[in-house]
Amino acid sequence: MACGVFRPALEALRSDGRLPLFETVFLPSALHLDPARLRQRLEEALGERRPSERVLCLYGGCVPDMDALCHRHGAARPPGGHCYEMLLGSRRYAALIAECPGTYFVDQGLVAHFDDRCWEPLGLEDERVREACFGRYERLLYVRQPGDPELSEQLGEIAARLGLRLAIEDADYAELEENLLRLMDAPLLATLTLV
């Protein structure tokens, strides 16, 4: 089970033969806008698994007590508190945060739907609201994945509207691949422990 933000990563790793074939259920990344709904969908999807199935839950700490939720359903979760940390690798992610703690991360899906998911629902046309939501941020960092369309124009527009400088970093799947393979090779009992 995975957040839709990981679809390009899993497809790339499988097409390169770096991961074995496995069934993947992708939940829409837009569920992050409603954490209660995200938790409900995760509970439902994890509850539908057969006891003999090994389940990996490819999410960051996207809902409170994510590890406890996974443990309750016998699912393993790779380490990482944030999806972008998993897509960039933990060291690189930490270095980017240390370099600029006020970093707002985006991916292709969020860029494509920025007005629908952020601008309009949050009322960001109001300068005071925009300042309250984004005043502590300094840069907009786009995590580009292989196969993403060219988004320079949209990214520049979003960064300008938010008053942030723009940076682009390419995803690196090496650590994600290593963590997934480790969890896939772990004895079944290991998937029942907190990760």
Coordinates of all heavy atoms in Angstrom, one line a residue, residues 88-176:
L88 N 14.1 11.4 -1.4 CA 15.4 12.0 -1.6 C 16.6 11.2 -0.8 O 17.7 11.4 -1.2 CB 15.4 13.4 -1.0 CG 14.5 14.4 -1.8 CD1 14.3 15.7 -0.9 CD2 15.2 14.8 -3.1
G89 N 16.2 10.4 0.1 CA 17.2 9.8 1.0 C 17.3 10.6 2.2 O 17.3 11.8 2.2
S90 N 17.5 9.9 3.4 CA 17.4 10.6 4.7 C 18.6 11.6 4.8 O 18.4 12.7 5.4 CB 17.4 9.6 5.8 OG 18.5 8.7 5.7
R91 N 19.8 11.3 4.4 CA 20.9 12.2 4.6 C 20.7 13.5 3.7 O 20.9 14.6 4.2 CB 22.2 11.6 4.2 CG 22.7 10.6 5.2 CD 24.1 10.2 4.9 NE 24.5 9.2 5.9 CZ 25.0 8.0 5.6 NH1 25.1 7.6 4.4 NH2 25.3 7.1 6.6
R92 N 20.3 13.3 2.5 CA 20.1 14.4 1.6 C 19.0 15.3 2.1 O 19.0 16.5 2.1 CB 19.8 13.9 0.2 CG 19.9 15.0 -0.9 CD 20.1 14.3 -2.2 NE 19.6 15.1 -3.3 CZ 18.9 14.7 -4.3 NH1 18.7 13.4 -4.4 NH2 18.6 15.5 -5.3
Y93 N 17.9 14.7 2.5 CA 16.7 15.4 3.1 C 17.2 16.2 4.3 O 16.9 17.4 4.4 CB 15.6 14.4 3.4 CG 14.4 15.0 4.1 CD1 13.4 15.6 3.3 CD2 14.2 15.0 5.5 CE1 12.3 16.2 3.9 CE2 13.1 15.6 6.0 CZ 12.2 16.2 5.3 OH 11.1 16.7 5.8
A94 N 17.9 15.6 5.2 CA 18.4 16.3 6.4 C 19.3 17.5 6.0 O 19.2 18.6 6.6 CB 19.1 15.4 7.3
A95 N 20.1 17.3 5.0 CA 21.0 18.4 4.6 C 20.2 19.5 4.0 O 20.6 20.7 4.2 CB 22.0 17.8 3.5
L96 N 19.2 19.2 3.2 CA 18.4 20.3 2.6 C 17.6 21.1 3.7 O 17.5 22.3 3.6 CB 17.4 19.7 1.6 CG 18.0 19.2 0.3 CD1 17.0 18.3 -0.4 CD2 18.4 20.3 -0.5
I97 N 17.1 20.4 4.7 CA 16.5 21.0 5.8 C 17.4 21.9 6.6 O 17.1 23.0 7.0 CB 15.7 20.0 6.7 CG1 14.6 19.3 6.0 CG2 15.2 20.6 8.0 CD1 13.5 20.3 5.6
A98 N 18.7 21.3 6.9 CA 19.7 22.1 7.6 C 20.1 23.3 6.8 O 20.3 24.4 7.4 CB 20.9 21.2 7.9
E99 N 20.2 23.2 5.5 CA 20.5 24.3 4.7 C 19.5 25.4 4.7 O 19.8 26.6 4.7 CB 20.7 23.8 3.3 CG 21.0 24.8 2.2 CD 21.0 24.1 0.8 OE1 21.9 23.3 0.6 OE2 20.0 24.4 0.0
C100 N 18.2 25.0 4.7 CA 17.1 26.0 4.7 C 15.9 25.4 5.5 O 15.1 24.7 4.8 CB 16.7 26.4 3.3 SG 15.4 27.5 3.2
P101 N 15.9 25.6 6.8 CA 14.7 25.0 7.6 C 13.4 25.4 7.0 O 12.4 24.7 7.2 CB 15.0 25.5 9.0 CG 16.4 25.8 9.0 CD 16.8 26.3 7.6
G102 N 13.3 26.5 6.4 CA 12.0 27.0 5.9 C 11.8 26.5 4.4 O 11.6 27.4 3.5
T103 N 11.8 25.2 4.2 CA 11.6 24.7 2.9 C 10.2 24.0 2.8 O 9.8 23.2 3.6 CB 12.7 23.6 2.6 OG1 14.0 24.2 2.6 CG2 12.5 22.9 1.3
Y104 N 9.5 24.4 1.8 CA 8.2 23.9 1.5 C 8.4 22.9 0.3 O 8.7 23.4 -0.8 CB 7.2 25.0 1.2 CG 5.8 24.5 0.9 CD1 5.0 24.0 2.0 CD2 5.2 24.5 -0.4 CE1 3.7 23.5 1.8 CE2 3.9 24.1 -0.6 CZ 3.2 23.6 0.5 OH 1.9 23.1 0.3
F105 N 8.2 21.6 0.5 CA 8.4 20.6 -0.5 C 7.1 20.4 -1.4 O 6.0 20.4 -0.8 CB 8.7 19.3 0.1 CG 10.1 19.3 0.7 CD1 10.3 19.7 2.1 CD2 11.2 18.8 0.0 CE1 11.5 19.7 2.6 CE2 12.5 18.8 0.6 CZ 12.6 19.2 1.9
V106 N 7.3 20.2 -2.7 CA 6.2 19.9 -3.6 C 6.6 18.8 -4.5 O 7.8 18.7 -4.8 CB 5.7 21.2 -4.4 CG1 5.1 22.2 -3.4 CG2 6.8 21.8 -5.2
D107 N 5.7 18.1 -5.1 CA 5.9 17.1 -6.1 C 5.0 17.5 -7.3 O 4.2 18.4 -7.2 CB 5.6 15.7 -5.6 CG 4.2 15.5 -5.3 OD1 3.4 16.4 -4.9 OD2 3.7 14.3 -5.4
Q108 N 5.1 16.7 -8.3 CA 4.4 16.9 -9.6 C 2.9 17.0 -9.3 O 2.2 17.9 -9.9 CB 4.7 15.8 -10.6 CG 4.1 16.0 -11.9 CD 2.8 15.3 -12.1 OE1 2.6 14.3 -11.5 NE2 1.9 15.9 -12.9
G109 N 2.3 16.1 -8.5 CA 0.9 16.1 -8.3 C 0.4 17.4 -7.6 O -0.6 18.0 -7.9
L110 N 1.2 17.9 -6.6 CA 0.8 19.1 -5.9 C 0.9 20.3 -6.8 O 0.1 21.2 -6.8 CB 1.6 19.3 -4.6 CG 1.2 20.5 -3.7 CD1 -0.3 20.4 -3.4 CD2 2.1 20.5 -2.5
V111 N 2.0 20.3 -7.6 CA 2.1 21.4 -8.6 C 1.0 21.5 -9.6 O 0.4 22.5 -9.8 CB 3.5 21.3 -9.3 CG1 3.6 22.4 -10.5 CG2 4.7 21.5 -8.4
A112 N 0.6 20.3 -10.1 CA -0.5 20.2 -11.1 C -1.8 20.7 -10.5 O -2.7 21.2 -11.2 CB -0.6 18.8 -11.6
H113 N -2.0 20.5 -9.2 CA -3.3 20.8 -8.5 C -3.1 21.9 -7.5 O -3.9 21.9 -6.5 CB -3.9 19.5 -8.0 CG -4.1 18.5 -9.0 ND1 -5.2 18.5 -9.9 CD2 -3.4 17.4 -9.3 CE1 -5.1 17.5 -10.6 NE2 -4.1 16.7 -10.3
F114 N -2.2 22.7 -7.6 CA -1.9 23.7 -6.5 C -3.1 24.6 -6.2 O -3.4 24.8 -5.0 CB -0.7 24.5 -6.8 CG -0.3 25.4 -5.7 CD1 0.4 24.9 -4.6 CD2 -0.6 26.7 -5.7 CE1 0.8 25.7 -3.5 CE2 -0.2 27.6 -4.6 CZ 0.5 27.0 -3.5
D115 N -3.7 25.1 -7.2 CA -4.9 26.0 -7.0 C -6.0 25.2 -6.3 O -6.6 25.7 -5.3 CB -5.4 26.6 -8.3 CG -4.5 27.7 -8.7 OD1 -3.6 28.2 -8.0 OD2 -4.7 28.2 -9.9
D116 N -6.3 24.0 -6.7 CA -7.4 23.2 -6.2 C -7.2 22.8 -4.7 O -8.1 22.6 -3.9 CB -7.7 22.0 -7.0 CG -8.1 22.3 -8.4 OD1 -8.4 23.5 -8.7 OD2 -8.1 21.4 -9.2
R117 N -5.9 22.4 -4.4 CA -5.6 21.8 -3.2 C -5.0 22.8 -2.1 O -5.1 22.5 -0.9 CB -4.6 20.7 -3.4 CG -5.2 19.5 -4.2 CD -4.2 18.4 -4.3 NE -4.8 17.4 -5.2 CZ -4.1 16.3 -5.7 NH1 -2.8 16.2 -5.4 NH2 -4.7 15.5 -6.5
C118 N -4.5 23.9 -2.6 CA -3.9 24.8 -1.6 C -4.4 26.3 -1.8 O -5.0 26.8 -0.8 CB -2.3 24.9 -1.8 SG -1.5 23.4 -1.3
W119 N -4.3 26.8 -2.9 CA -4.6 28.3 -3.1 C -6.0 28.6 -2.7 O -6.3 29.4 -1.9 CB -4.3 28.7 -4.5 CG -4.3 30.2 -4.7 CD1 -5.3 31.0 -5.2 CD2 -3.2 31.1 -4.4 NE1 -5.0 32.3 -5.2 CE2 -3.7 32.4 -4.7 CE3 -1.9 30.9 -3.9 CZ2 -2.9 33.5 -4.5 CZ3 -1.1 32.0 -3.7 CH2 -1.6 33.3 -4.0
E120 N -7.0 27.9 -3.4 CA -8.4 28.2 -3.1 C -8.9 27.7 -1.7 O -9.5 28.5 -1.0 CB -9.2 27.6 -4.2 CG -9.0 28.3 -5.6 CD -9.6 27.6 -6.8 OE1 -10.3 26.6 -6.6 OE2 -9.2 28.0 -7.9
P121 N -8.6 26.4 -1.4 CA -9.1 26.0 -0.1 C -8.6 26.8 1.1 O -9.3 27.0 2.1 CB -8.7 24.5 0.0 CG -8.4 24.1 -1.3 CD -8.0 25.3 -2.1
L122 N -7.3 27.2 1.0 CA -6.7 27.9 2.1 C -7.0 29.5 2.1 O -6.7 30.2 3.0 CB -5.2 27.7 2.2 CG -4.8 26.3 2.5 CD1 -3.3 26.1 2.3 CD2 -5.2 25.9 3.9
G123 N -7.5 29.9 0.9 CA -7.8 31.3 0.8 C -6.5 32.1 0.6 O -6.4 33.2 1.2
L124 N -5.5 31.6 -0.1 CA -4.2 32.2 -0.2 C -4.2 33.5 -1.0 O -3.2 34.2 -1.0 CB -3.2 31.2 -0.7 CG -2.9 30.0 0.1 CD1 -2.0 29.1 -0.5 CD2 -2.4 30.5 1.5
E125 N -5.3 33.9 -1.6 CA -5.3 35.1 -2.3 C -5.3 36.3 -1.3 O -4.8 37.4 -1.7 CB -6.6 35.3 -3.2 CG -7.9 35.3 -2.5 CD -8.4 34.0 -2.0 OE1 -7.9 32.9 -2.5 OE2 -9.4 34.0 -1.2
D126 N -5.7 36.0 -0.1 CA -5.6 37.0 1.0 C -4.2 37.1 1.5 O -3.7 36.1 2.0 CB -6.6 36.7 2.1 CG -6.6 37.7 3.2 OD1 -5.6 38.2 3.6 OD2 -7.7 38.0 3.7
E127 N -3.5 38.2 1.4 CA -2.1 38.3 1.8 C -1.9 37.9 3.3 O -0.9 37.3 3.6 CB -1.7 39.8 1.6 CG -0.2 40.0 1.8 CD 0.3 41.4 1.5 OE1 -0.4 42.1 0.8 OE2 1.3 41.8 2.0
R128 N -2.8 38.3 4.2 CA -2.7 37.9 5.6 C -2.7 36.4 5.8 O -1.9 35.8 6.6 CB -3.7 38.6 6.4 CG -3.6 40.1 6.5 CD -4.8 40.7 7.1 NE -5.9 40.4 6.3 CZ -7.2 40.5 6.6 NH1 -7.5 41.0 7.8 NH2 -8.2 40.3 5.7
V129 N -3.6 35.7 5.0 CA -3.7 34.3 5.1 C -2.4 33.6 4.5 O -1.8 32.7 5.1 CB -4.9 33.7 4.4 CG1 -4.9 32.2 4.3 CG2 -6.2 34.2 5.0
R130 N -2.0 34.2 3.4 CA -0.7 33.7 2.8 C 0.5 33.8 3.7 O 1.3 32.9 3.9 CB -0.5 34.4 1.5 CG 0.4 33.8 0.5 CD 0.4 34.3 -0.9 NE 0.5 35.8 -1.0 CZ -0.5 36.6 -1.3 NH1 -1.7 36.2 -1.5 NH2 -0.3 37.9 -1.3
E131 N 0.5 35.0 4.4 CA 1.6 35.2 5.4 C 1.5 34.2 6.5 O 2.5 33.7 7.0 CB 1.6 36.7 5.9 CG 2.6 37.0 6.9 CD 4.1 36.8 6.5 OE1 4.3 36.9 5.3 OE2 4.9 36.5 7.3
A132 N 0.3 34.0 7.0 CA 0.1 33.1 8.1 C 0.5 31.6 7.7 O 1.1 30.9 8.5 CB -1.3 33.1 8.6
C133 N 0.2 31.2 6.5 CA 0.5 29.9 6.1 C 1.9 29.7 5.6 O 2.5 28.6 5.8 CB -0.5 29.5 4.9 SG -2.2 29.3 5.4
F134 N 2.5 30.7 4.9 CA 3.8 30.5 4.3 C 4.8 31.5 4.7 O 6.0 31.5 4.2 CB 3.6 30.6 2.7 CG 2.9 29.4 2.2 CD1 1.6 29.3 2.0 CD2 3.7 28.3 1.8 CE1 1.0 28.2 1.5 CE2 3.1 27.1 1.3 CZ 1.7 27.1 1.1
G135 N 4.5 32.3 5.7 CA 5.5 33.4 6.1 C 6.8 32.8 6.7 O 7.8 33.5 6.6
R136 N 6.8 31.6 7.2 CA 8.0 31.1 7.8 C 8.8 30.3 6.7 O 9.9 29.9 7.0 CB 7.7 30.1 8.9 CG 6.9 28.9 8.5 CD 6.4 28.1 9.7 NE 5.6 27.0 9.2 CZ 5.9 25.8 9.4 NH1 7.0 25.4 10.1 NH2 5.1 24.8 9.0
Y137 N 8.3 30.1 5.6 CA 9.0 29.4 4.5 C 9.9 30.4 3.7 O 9.5 31.6 3.5 CB 8.0 28.7 3.5 CG 7.3 27.5 4.2 CD1 6.0 27.6 4.5 CD2 8.0 26.4 4.4 CE1 5.4 26.6 5.1 CE2 7.4 25.3 5.0 CZ 6.0 25.4 5.3 OH 5.4 24.3 5.9
E138 N 11.0 29.9 3.2 CA 11.9 30.7 2.4 C 12.0 30.2 1.0 O 12.3 30.9 0.1 CB 13.3 30.7 3.0 CG 13.3 31.3 4.4 CD 14.7 31.2 5.1 OE1 15.7 31.1 4.4 OE2 14.7 31.1 6.3
R139 N 11.9 28.9 0.8 CA 12.0 28.3 -0.5 C 11.0 27.2 -0.8 O 10.5 26.6 0.1 CB 13.4 27.8 -0.8 CG 13.7 26.4 -0.2 CD 15.1 25.9 -0.6 NE 15.4 24.8 0.2 CZ 16.6 24.3 0.3 NH1 17.6 24.8 -0.5 NH2 16.9 23.3 1.1
L140 N 10.7 27.1 -2.1 CA 9.8 26.1 -2.6 C 10.7 25.1 -3.3 O 11.5 25.4 -4.2 CB 8.8 26.7 -3.6 CG 7.9 25.7 -4.3 CD1 6.7 25.4 -3.4 CD2 7.4 26.3 -5.6
L141 N 10.7 23.8 -2.8 CA 11.6 22.8 -3.3 C 10.8 21.8 -4.0 O 10.0 21.1 -3.4 CB 12.5 22.2 -2.2 CG 13.7 21.4 -2.8 CD1 14.9 21.6 -1.9 CD2 13.3 19.9 -2.9
Y142 N 11.0 21.7 -5.3 CA 10.3 20.7 -6.1 C 11.2 19.4 -6.2 O 12.3 19.4 -6.6 CB 10.1 21.2 -7.5 CG 9.6 20.2 -8.5 CD1 8.4 19.6 -8.3 CD2 10.2 20.0 -9.7 CE1 7.9 18.7 -9.2 CE2 9.7 19.1 -10.7 CZ 8.6 18.4 -10.4 OH 8.0 17.6 -11.3
V143 N 10.6 18.3 -5.8 CA 11.2 17.0 -5.9 C 10.8 16.3 -7.2 O 9.7 15.9 -7.4 CB 10.9 16.1 -4.7 CG1 11.6 14.7 -4.8 CG2 11.3 16.7 -3.4
R144 N 11.7 16.4 -8.2 CA 11.4 15.9 -9.5 C 11.7 14.4 -9.6 O 12.8 13.9 -9.2 CB 12.3 16.7 -10.5 CG 12.1 16.3 -12.0 CD 12.9 17.2 -12.9 NE 14.2 17.4 -12.5 CZ 15.0 18.5 -12.9 NH1 14.5 19.4 -13.6 NH2 16.2 18.6 -12.5
Q145 N 10.8 13.7 -10.2 CA 10.9 12.3 -10.4 C 11.0 12.0 -11.9 O 10.5 12.7 -12.7 CB 9.8 11.5 -9.8 CG 9.7 11.7 -8.3 CD 8.7 10.7 -7.7 OE1 8.9 9.5 -7.7 NE2 7.7 11.3 -7.0
P146 N 11.7 10.9 -12.3 CA 11.8 10.5 -13.7 C 10.4 10.4 -14.3 O 9.5 10.0 -13.7 CB 12.5 9.1 -13.7 CG 13.2 9.1 -12.4 CD 12.4 9.9 -11.4
G147 N 10.3 11.0 -15.5 CA 9.0 10.9 -16.1 C 8.1 12.1 -15.8 O 7.0 12.2 -16.4
D148 N 8.5 12.9 -14.9 CA 7.6 14.1 -14.6 C 7.6 15.1 -15.8 O 8.7 15.2 -16.5 CB 8.2 14.9 -13.4 CG 7.8 14.3 -12.1 OD1 7.1 13.3 -12.0 OD2 8.2 14.9 -11.0
P149 N 6.5 15.7 -16.1 CA 6.5 16.6 -17.2 C 7.3 17.9 -16.9 O 7.7 18.1 -15.7 CB 5.0 17.0 -17.3 CG 4.4 16.7 -16.0 CD 5.2 15.6 -15.4
E150 N 7.6 18.7 -17.8 CA 8.3 20.0 -17.6 C 7.4 20.9 -16.9 O 6.3 21.2 -17.4 CB 8.7 20.6 -19.0 CG 9.3 21.9 -18.9 CD 10.5 22.0 -18.0 OE1 11.4 21.1 -18.0 OE2 10.6 22.9 -17.2
L151 N 7.8 21.4 -15.7 CA 6.9 22.2 -14.9 C 7.6 23.5 -14.5 O 7.1 24.2 -13.6 CB 6.6 21.4 -13.6 CG 5.7 20.2 -13.8 CD1 5.6 19.4 -12.5 CD2 4.4 20.5 -14.3
S152 N 8.6 23.9 -15.2 CA 9.3 25.2 -14.8 C 8.4 26.4 -14.7 O 8.5 27.2 -13.8 CB 10.5 25.4 -15.8 OG 11.4 24.4 -15.7
E153 N 7.5 26.5 -15.7 CA 6.7 27.7 -15.7 C 5.7 27.7 -14.5 O 5.6 28.7 -13.8 CB 5.9 27.7 -17.0 CG 5.0 29.0 -17.2 CD 4.3 29.0 -18.6 OE1 4.9 28.5 -19.6 OE2 3.2 29.5 -18.6
Q154 N 5.1 26.5 -14.3 CA 4.1 26.4 -13.1 C 4.9 26.6 -11.8 O 4.4 27.3 -10.9 CB 3.4 25.1 -13.1 CG 2.5 24.9 -14.3 CD 3.2 24.1 -15.4 OE1 4.3 24.3 -15.7 NE2 2.4 23.1 -16.0
L155 N 6.0 26.0 -11.7 CA 6.8 26.2 -10.5 C 7.2 27.6 -10.2 O 7.1 28.1 -9.1 CB 8.1 25.3 -10.5 CG 7.8 23.8 -10.4 CD1 9.1 23.0 -10.8 CD2 7.5 23.5 -8.9
G156 N 7.7 28.3 -11.2 CA 8.0 29.7 -11.1 C 6.9 30.6 -10.7 O 7.0 31.4 -9.8
E157 N 5.7 30.2 -11.3 CA 4.5 31.0 -10.9 C 4.1 30.8 -9.4 O 3.8 31.7 -8.7 CB 3.3 30.6 -11.8 CG 2.0 31.3 -11.5 CD 0.9 30.8 -12.4 OE1 1.1 30.7 -13.6 OE2 -0.2 30.6 -11.8
I158 N 4.1 29.5 -9.0 CA 3.7 29.2 -7.6 C 4.7 29.8 -6.6 O 4.3 30.5 -5.7 CB 3.7 27.7 -7.4 CG1 2.5 27.1 -8.2 CG2 3.6 27.3 -5.9 CD1 2.5 25.6 -8.3
A159 N 6.0 29.7 -6.9 CA 7.0 30.3 -6.1 C 6.8 31.8 -6.0 O 6.9 32.4 -4.9 CB 8.4 30.0 -6.6
A160 N 6.6 32.5 -7.1 CA 6.3 33.9 -7.1 C 5.1 34.3 -6.3 O 5.1 35.3 -5.5 CB 6.2 34.4 -8.6
R161 N 4.0 33.6 -6.5 CA 2.8 33.9 -5.8 C 3.0 33.7 -4.3 O 2.3 34.4 -3.5 CB 1.7 32.9 -6.2 CG 1.2 33.3 -7.6 CD 0.4 32.2 -8.3 NE -0.9 31.9 -7.7 CZ -1.7 30.9 -8.0 NH1 -1.3 30.0 -8.9 NH2 -2.8 30.7 -7.4
L162 N 3.8 32.8 -3.9 CA 4.1 32.6 -2.4 C 5.2 33.4 -1.9 O 5.4 33.4 -0.7 CB 4.3 31.1 -2.2 CG 3.2 30.1 -2.5 CD1 3.7 28.7 -2.3 CD2 2.0 30.4 -1.7
G163 N 5.9 34.1 -2.8 CA 7.1 34.9 -2.3 C 8.3 34.0 -1.9 O 9.0 34.4 -1.0
L164 N 8.5 32.9 -2.5 CA 9.5 32.0 -2.2 C 10.5 31.8 -3.3 O 10.1 31.9 -4.5 CB 8.9 30.6 -1.8 CG 7.9 30.5 -0.7 CD1 7.3 29.1 -0.6 CD2 8.4 31.0 0.6
R165 N 11.8 31.5 -3.0 CA 12.7 31.2 -4.0 C 12.5 29.7 -4.4 O 12.1 28.9 -3.6 CB 14.1 31.5 -3.6 CG 14.7 30.8 -2.5 CD 16.1 31.3 -2.1 NE 16.5 30.9 -0.8 CZ 17.0 29.7 -0.5 NH1 17.2 28.9 -1.4 NH2 17.3 29.5 0.8
L166 N 12.8 29.4 -5.6 CA 12.6 28.1 -6.2 C 13.9 27.3 -6.2 O 14.9 27.8 -6.6 CB 12.0 28.2 -7.6 CG 11.8 26.9 -8.4 CD1 10.8 26.0 -7.6 CD2 11.3 27.2 -9.8
A167 N 13.8 26.0 -5.9 CA 14.9 25.1 -6.0 C 14.3 23.8 -6.5 O 13.1 23.4 -6.3 CB 15.6 24.8 -4.7
I168 N 15.1 23.0 -7.2 CA 14.7 21.7 -7.8 C 15.7 20.7 -7.4 O 16.9 20.9 -7.6 CB 14.5 21.8 -9.3 CG1 13.4 22.8 -9.7 CG2 14.2 20.4 -9.9 CD1 13.3 23.1 -11.2
E169 N 15.2 19.6 -6.9 CA 16.1 18.4 -6.6 C 15.5 17.2 -7.2 O 14.3 17.0 -7.2 CB 16.2 18.2 -5.1 CG 16.9 19.3 -4.3 CD 18.4 19.2 -4.4 OE1 18.9 18.1 -4.6 OE2 19.0 20.3 -4.4
D170 N 16.4 16.4 -7.8 CA 16.0 15.1 -8.4 C 15.9 14.0 -7.3 O 16.7 13.9 -6.4 CB 16.9 14.6 -9.5 CG 16.9 15.5 -10.7 OD1 15.8 15.9 -11.1 OD2 17.9 15.8 -11.3
A171 N 14.8 13.2 -7.4 CA 14.6 12.1 -6.5 C 15.8 11.1 -6.6 O 16.4 11.0 -7.7 CB 13.3 11.4 -6.7
D172 N 16.1 10.5 -5.5 CA 17.1 9.4 -5.5 C 16.5 8.2 -4.8 O 16.2 8.3 -3.6 CB 18.3 9.9 -4.8 CG 19.4 8.8 -4.7 OD1 19.2 7.7 -5.1 OD2 20.5 9.1 -4.2
Y173 N 16.2 7.2 -5.6 CA 15.5 6.0 -5.0 C 16.4 5.0 -4.4 O 15.9 3.9 -3.9 CB 14.7 5.3 -6.2 CG 13.7 6.2 -6.9 CD1 13.5 6.0 -8.3 CD2 13.1 7.2 -6.3 CE1 12.6 6.7 -8.9 CE2 12.1 8.0 -6.9 CZ 11.9 7.7 -8.3 OH 11.0 8.5 -9.0
A174 N 17.7 5.2 -4.2 CA 18.6 4.2 -3.7 C 18.2 3.7 -2.3 O 18.1 2.5 -2.0 CB 20.0 4.7 -3.8
E175 N 18.0 4.7 -1.4 CA 17.7 4.3 0.0 C 16.3 3.7 0.1 O 16.0 2.8 0.8 CB 17.7 5.6 0.9 CG 17.6 5.3 2.3 CD 17.8 6.5 3.2 OE1 18.8 7.2 3.0 OE2 16.9 6.8 4.0
L176 N 15.3 4.2 -0.7 CA 14.0 3.7 -0.7 C 14.0 2.2 -1.2 O 13.4 1.3 -0.6 CB 13.1 4.5 -1.7 CG 11.7 4.0 -1.9 CD1 10.9 4.0 -0.6 CD2 11.0 4.8 -2.9

